Every structure is written in structure tokens, then in C-alpha cells.
Amino acid sequence: MDKLHFTYEDIHRTAKDIAERVKASGFDPHMIVAIGSGGFIPARILRTFLSKPILAVGISYYDDEDRPTDLPRKVQWIEEAERKLAGKRILLVDEVDDSRTTLEYCIRELMRHEPSEIAVAVLHDKDKEKRGVIPDEVSRYFAGLRIEDRWVCYPWDADDIDAHDEAARKGV
Amino acid sequence: MDKLHFTYEDIHRTAKDIAERVKASGFDPHMIVAIGSGGFIPARILRTFLSKPILAVGISYYDDEDRPTDLPRKVQWIEEAERKLAGKRILLVDEVDDSRTTLEYCIRELMRHEPSEIAVAVLHDKDKEKRGVIPDEVSRYFAGLRIEDRWVCYPWDADDIDAHDEAARKGV
């Protein structure tokens, strides 16, 4: 399968574009909730343009012995902050909407704390059959780009950032 | 005061260099603790090279009404995860060691949970008089670069990433 490379600059521009669409939509979140660790970088860039605090949650598909698990597991959750979620407007952020499983899991967990509104923002939405669903309670869904179902190479995963940027430039 | 611009690629290479020095030192952390929101991006890049989970803490110098405060305030803390810190080796990550106040605050808070070891990693250490101190209990301190006491422009704060990269290229 062909890989798809994005540079940090691509990611930055995509996050800026999402922020502009969030603002244009009239949605004014009280806070950004970043799904770790993939959502950390897009959330931090979104913060530049939306000027909202970030709360982080950590999700893993590996257990404590580093064995893969079918269901997501909380590495970190919000706890005391959860008490602040009631009645609040939340922008939930991740890097990619792949199978949608993580997003659905996080949305359902957040909904238990009765925020007034949840919107979702992802850099990339893969055009594929989804195993998870976005619950009806989610008012808005922002995807920076809709992409083919290919292996995405994010810059923060690059061992050699120059080789990564070169691959992105060549469109491979 | 002259500003100092770093590109994302600069940051990526600096984080990789820090990771190599962490490994060469023999320090093998159980987890990375990112100080939000400045530490989110360096922590996520470090994770690529160190393969450790990230826990996030959020610190703010603004109160709930967005008024500046002298002392740091917890926006998010680790809570349930704190119970996992006892006996663990932690790599605490932030983007810059400026006045050292935030680092000292976070280190002292983490120490209350009796980790076996705390090391600190920052992308940049400003060469200036510090108001905070690194407690003696901190075993290792990794600074990617030691820099002059100038205004640092990080790429994630850029409104226009191309203009930012151009400023970095020109060394202004």
C-alpha cells in the first residue's frame, strides 16, 4: 500500500484551516480535549488559533505487558477535570479518524460527564468503512482533509525528518 | 530584543538528539510526563525515539477568569496515574527552561508521589539567572540547546508557518 507523507508545515496549515472552520461555524469551545498521543500535536497547534486550554487523555491499545488489546484502555483520564466538563463545550481532537473506534470510545466516555456540546476535529479522515460511529449527540465534525485509506506517515514519527520531508515533497 | 525562530524540523532534530543522549546516559524512563501545553510537542517527538507512554499535566499562569497569576496553577494533573508514579523513573519534558519556576513546581509536585528517579528534558535552556531551582533529587538534566536569553518563537505558535520558516532561515 502506498504511504502518504505529511510535513509538519502541512499539518500546521491543516490545523489552521480547521480552526478557521471551527470559528466560522460559530462553535466556541471552552476547552480542547486531546486524545494522546496522536492528538497532542494537532491539539497544540489548534490552541494557537483557538486560544483555549488543552486537557489530555491517553488511550492505548496495549496492555501493561505491552500486548495488543482489542479494546482501548485508558492510560490517563481527566478525573478532577471531568468535574469541570459538565455543561461545557468540548472540542475533541485526534490526528486521524481511521476505524473510528477510538473516537467513539472517547466521545462516549466524555458524554457521561454531561458536557453541553461535543464537537470533533481530526486532521485526516480516512475514506473507508468505519467500525465505530460518531454518536448523534456530537454536534459538529471537522476533518482537515479527507484522504484515501493509505498508510499515513506523520512527521513526528519520522526517524529522519529530512528523508521524511523529501518523501512528502515527492508525493510518495 | 532579537527573536529566535526554530522550525519544526529544528525541534524534531533537537528532540532526537536529546533522546540519543538520554539513551546514552543509561537512563531508561518508565514514562514521559509532558508539561502542557508547551511540552506536548517535544514530548510526542521524544516518544518516537524513546517508545514510552506520555502522561500530561497542564500548568497555567492564568486564573479561571483569565487574569495572570504569579504562581502556577494546575489545569490538569495526573491523579489516578499518580498512583502509578511510585517507584517509577520519570522523564519530565517541557519546551524551554526559562525562569525555571514551572520546572521546579512540577518536579516538587511529582516528588510527592515518590518516583524512584526524575530526569528533566527541555528543548532549550535559556542562559539567564533562574528564579527556580532544580532540586537535588533530580538525577539528570538534558537540554537540547543552551540559548541566549531571547524571545523564542516556536513553530506551533506561528500564525503563518511559511513566514515563520523564512524568519528562521534568515536567522532573525
Side-chain angles (χ1 to χ4, degrees), chain B residues 30-120:
Chain B
H30 291 95
M31 62 191 79
I32 295 166
V33 173
I35 302 176
S37 63
F40 282 177
I41 292 182
R44 179 58 190 82
I45 304 171
L46 281 170
R47 195 180 109 79
T48 293
F49 300 104
L50 297 175
S51 304
K52 303 297 174 182
I54 301 174
L55 298 180
V57 297
I59 299 292
S60 174
Y61 286 83
Y62 294 88
D63 67 15
D64 277 337
E65 271 78 47
D66 220 26
R67 289 175 300 223
T69 55
D70 284 339
L71 295 173
R73 187 176 65 88
K74 291 177 187 170
V75 173
Q76 177 177 13
W77 203 250
I78 301 180
E79 294 140 79
E80 80 175 24
E82 282 186 333
R83 295 192 287 275
K84 300 179 190 164
L85 297 186
K88 293 288 169 36
R89 291 182 299 274
I90 295 170
L91 183 63
L92 181 67
V93 175
D94 208 349
E95 89 278 45
V96 63
D97 178 351
D98 191 317
S99 72
R100 201 162 274 177
T101 320
T102 306
L103 279 177
E104 178 176 2
Y105 176 80
C106 290
I107 293 163
R108 295 204 186 277
E109 288 293 319
L110 290 176
M111 277 168 46
R112 293 171 48 207
H113 301 279
E114 304 188 345
S116 66
E117 199 171 343
I118 301 180
V120 169

Side-chain angles (χ1 to χ4, degrees), chain A residues 34-49:
Chain A
I35 302 178
S37 63
F40 281 179
I41 292 183
R44 179 58 190 80
I45 304 172
L46 281 170
R47 194 179 109 81
T48 293
F49 299 105

